Amino acid sequence: MSEMVYDAVVIGGGPAGATAARALALAGRSVLLMERGGRIKPCGGAIPPRLLADFDIPQSLLVARARAARMVAPSGRAVDMPVGEIGYVGMVDREDFDEWLRERARHSGAERLTATFEKIARDDAPHPIVIFRRSRGAPLERVRARVVIGADGARSAVAKQCLPGAERVPCVFAYHEIIRSPQVSSDAFDGSRCDVFYQGRLSPDFYAWVFPHGETASIGVGSANKGFSLRGAIATMRADLGLDRCETLRREGAPIPLKPLKRWDNGADVIVAGDAAGIVAPASGEGIYYAMVGGQMVAEAAAAFLATGDARHLHQARKRFMQEHGTVFMVLGIMQYFWYSTDKRRERFVTMCDDKDVQELTWQAYMHKRLVRAKPMAHLKIFLKDTAHLLGLRAATR
Ligand SMILES: Cc1cc2nc3c(=O)[nH]c(=O)nc-3n(C[C@H](O)[C@H](O)[C@H](O)COP(=O)(O)OP(=O)(O)OC[C@H]3O[C@@H](n4cnc5c(N)ncnc54)[C@H](O)[C@@H]3O)c2cc1C
């Protein structure tokens, strides 16, 4: 009997993989979506409304909507940034969100398999073989695919095996605790506000957060500094905010890659998407939206490859993504490098956030995922203010 060859095997059923699997299934391709399962992805779960619109996600998946962000400086000074009429920050619980995406992929025609990817092998036949196990200790099994999509997250095993240099992607390590939210809102915790702490004592190079999720909340922190105690920082923050009395439901952490891989495909039949491709926005650590956009673009590139047999189509995914989001990633990368490096700069950064133009453009950029060009004068004003802050020409506090 001849061996079944899938058009695509997608490894990893997070936002990137589930999106890619669905898109290819809708394009009429045979798709196997392989997810190891058994673990909720550690994630703050903040998503922009554009994600819901672009990927047809029902509002019912949101567990909370934040209407403002509070930026807290090293001095403790807090600046509130109301979103205003243009939207909100949506909050999803990844356990339900990811499962919903995987089920939607299945309803669109993808086959689901709970299994752990082990490696890609090759023989004399033309297509790669994906080796996997259904559970720990179970025998190795194999399946053949015309194209393999690695959407297996940060430190992707697929990327490490198939793309040179993938193991060297710089990462921030993020850790969070899921707590039961306080029953009543207070100045320290508001169920409709995201709090972001720019304080060197909580993170020497990134930030710490409190994100409301309705019944629960995510209290987290990121840092690339290996010697820094993320757990210690969260304990400090919870004590400061009086959240140490709330029940802790989960403690978990994971790396966040902060640099897109130079190549997403092996020039033949393997391509990566989402965190596996390193596409999380620097400075904010936002990755869900970009994983889904990347997953869609990877699926479209894979579909073109499957239709023509020309592997050059695979390059298009990265090219298209960087054309659309490369500038924003670059600007955010510079921001992180500059503003998150000392408490003096963090203080100035939070002061900048007090500016109405900065707030409006920040929210526009977050909601719409592009640098808004509609207001050239506002940009000029911000550029001048920004430069003044950079040079220390404006007072750190006003
Ligand atoms: C603590 C923390 C907080 C964050 N907060 C936010 C936030 O608030 N907003 C935001 O937008 N982003 C946030 N991010 C980033 C965001 O979580 C990721 O960018 C996003 O999940 C990437 O999606 P993905 O599908 O590429 O990868 P993942 O979501 O990591 O999915 C990869 C999937 O592959 C599966 N897998 C891995 N290895 C194998 C294997 N060998 N075999 C089979 N399956 C496998 C995993 O089980 C997983 O389901 C946060 C990240 C962290 C760590």
Side-chain angles (χ1 to χ4, degrees):
M1 209 174 78
S2 69
E3 181 186 27
M4 158 92 187
V5 181
Y6 284 93
D7 286 328
V9 170
V10 180
I11 298 162
T19 305
R22 173 175 185 249
L24 276 166
L26 289 176
R29 293 295 173 180
S30 59
V31 181
L32 181 68
L33 175 58
M34 184 183 297
E35 163 61 44
R36 66 184 168 193
R39 184 176 185 237
I40 303 167
K41 162 75 188 175
C43 183
I47 56 170
R50 174 155 180 193
L51 183 152
L52 281 81
D54 286 4
F55 295 98
D56 212 4
I57 304 292
Q59 291 274 331
S60 57
L61 279 173
L62 296 182
V63 291
R65 287 175 194 78
R67 304 279 176 188
R70 171 170 284 186
M71 318 295 261
V72 187
S75 62
R77 175 171 183 248
V79 168
D80 284 353
M81 296 176 60
V83 182
E85 295 309 307
I86 63 165
Y88 56 85
V89 181
M91 294 292 165
V92 290
D93 282 343
R94 292 292 299 271
E95 183 174 19
D96 303 324
F97 182 68
D98 289 17
E99 180 57 18
W100 188 90
L101 291 175
R102 288 189 285 267
E103 270 304 275
R104 183 167 69 167
R106 186 173 70 81
H107 289 302
S108 305
E111 202 177 307
R112 281 183 66 174
L113 173 68
T114 302
T116 301
F117 162 78
E118 294 282 335
K119 63 179 182 202
I120 290 175
R122 298 190 183 267
D123 58 13
D124 293 338
H127 306 300
I129 305 159
V130 175
I131 312 272
F132 64 90
R133 285 182 208 276
R134 287 178 199 257
S135 59
R136 198 186 292 246
L140 290 173
E141 296 180 57
R142 43 183 277 163
V143 61
R144 208 181 280 273
R146 292 189 171 83
V147 66
V148 176
I149 297 180
D152 49 342
R155 307 214 167 119
S156 153
V158 176
K160 275 187 206 157
Q161 279 182 39
C162 303
L163 303 172
E167 68 287 351
R168 291 194 299 273
V169 173
C171 286
V172 155
F173 199 84
Y175 166 80
H176 75 162
E177 297 181 358
I178 305 286
I179 62 159
R180 203 172 292 289
S181 296
Q183 298 272 314
V184 282
S185 286
S186 65
D187 193 48
F189 177 86
D190 183 329
S192 63
R193 192 185 69 211
C194 293
D195 292 355
V196 189
F197 294 79
Y198 297 99
Q199 300 183 331
R201 70 192 184 107
L202 295 178
S203 170
D205 50 357
F206 207 62
Y207 64 83
W209 70 84
V210 177
F211 288 175
H213 280 231
E215 300 279 290
T216 64
S218 155
I219 316 226
V221 63
S223 175
N225 184 331
K226 288 207 173 75
F228 185 77
S229 169
L230 298 172
R231 277 175 180 256
I234 294 302
T236 304
M237 191 160 77
R238 286 183 63 174
D240 287 355
L241 298 171
L243 297 174
D244 48 347
R245 293 183 292 274
C246 299
E247 184 190 353
T248 305
L249 303 172
R250 294 200 315 269
R251 292 188 164 88
E252 55 202 18
I256 304 182
L258 291 182
K259 199 162 177 146
L261 289 188
K262 288 224 160 54
R263 283 197 66 157
W264 292 5
D265 67 278
N266 68 346
D269 44 26
V270 178
I271 184 163
V272 291
D275 275 16
I279 50 168
V280 179
S284 70
E286 184 189 355
I288 304 173
Y289 174 75
Y290 295 109
M292 293 177 76
V293 170
Q296 181 73 33
M297 288 178 179
V298 162
E300 286 166 17
F305 162 60
L306 289 167
T308 60
D310 184 348
R312 281 174 301 185
H313 284 291
L314 296 177
H315 296 337
Q316 290 304 316
R318 185 184 191 281
K319 201 169 162 194
R320 279 181 63 201
F321 184 89
M322 294 312 282
Q323 267 167 0
E324 222 167 286
H325 302 288
T327 312
V328 170
F329 273 45
M330 190 189 67
V331 170
L332 291 174
I334 295 169
M335 256 184 68
Q336 178 181 334
Y337 177 78
F338 186 81
W339 292 113
Y340 296 6
S341 57
T342 66
D343 270 353
K344 206 170 152 194
R345 288 181 182 177
R346 289 183 192 101
E347 196 71 41
R348 285 205 206 128
F349 176 65
V350 172
T351 299
M352 245 174 36
C353 295
D354 211 359
D355 186 289
K356 288 285 164 265
D357 289 331
V358 171
Q359 295 187 3
E360 198 186 324
L361 283 185
T362 303
W363 286 127
Q364 293 276 6
Y366 179 74
M367 299 295 155
H368 304 302
K369 291 288 164 267
R370 68 179 103 89
L371 297 174
V372 189
R373 290 184 216 280
K375 287 183 141 192
M377 280 318 286
H379 276 287
L380 183 64
K381 232 168 91 190
I382 287 168
F383 174 75
L384 293 174
K385 282 181 194 164
D386 213 12
T387 312
H389 276 291
L390 276 172
L391 299 173
L393 300 176
R394 285 162 68 101
T397 50
R398 266 188 293 157

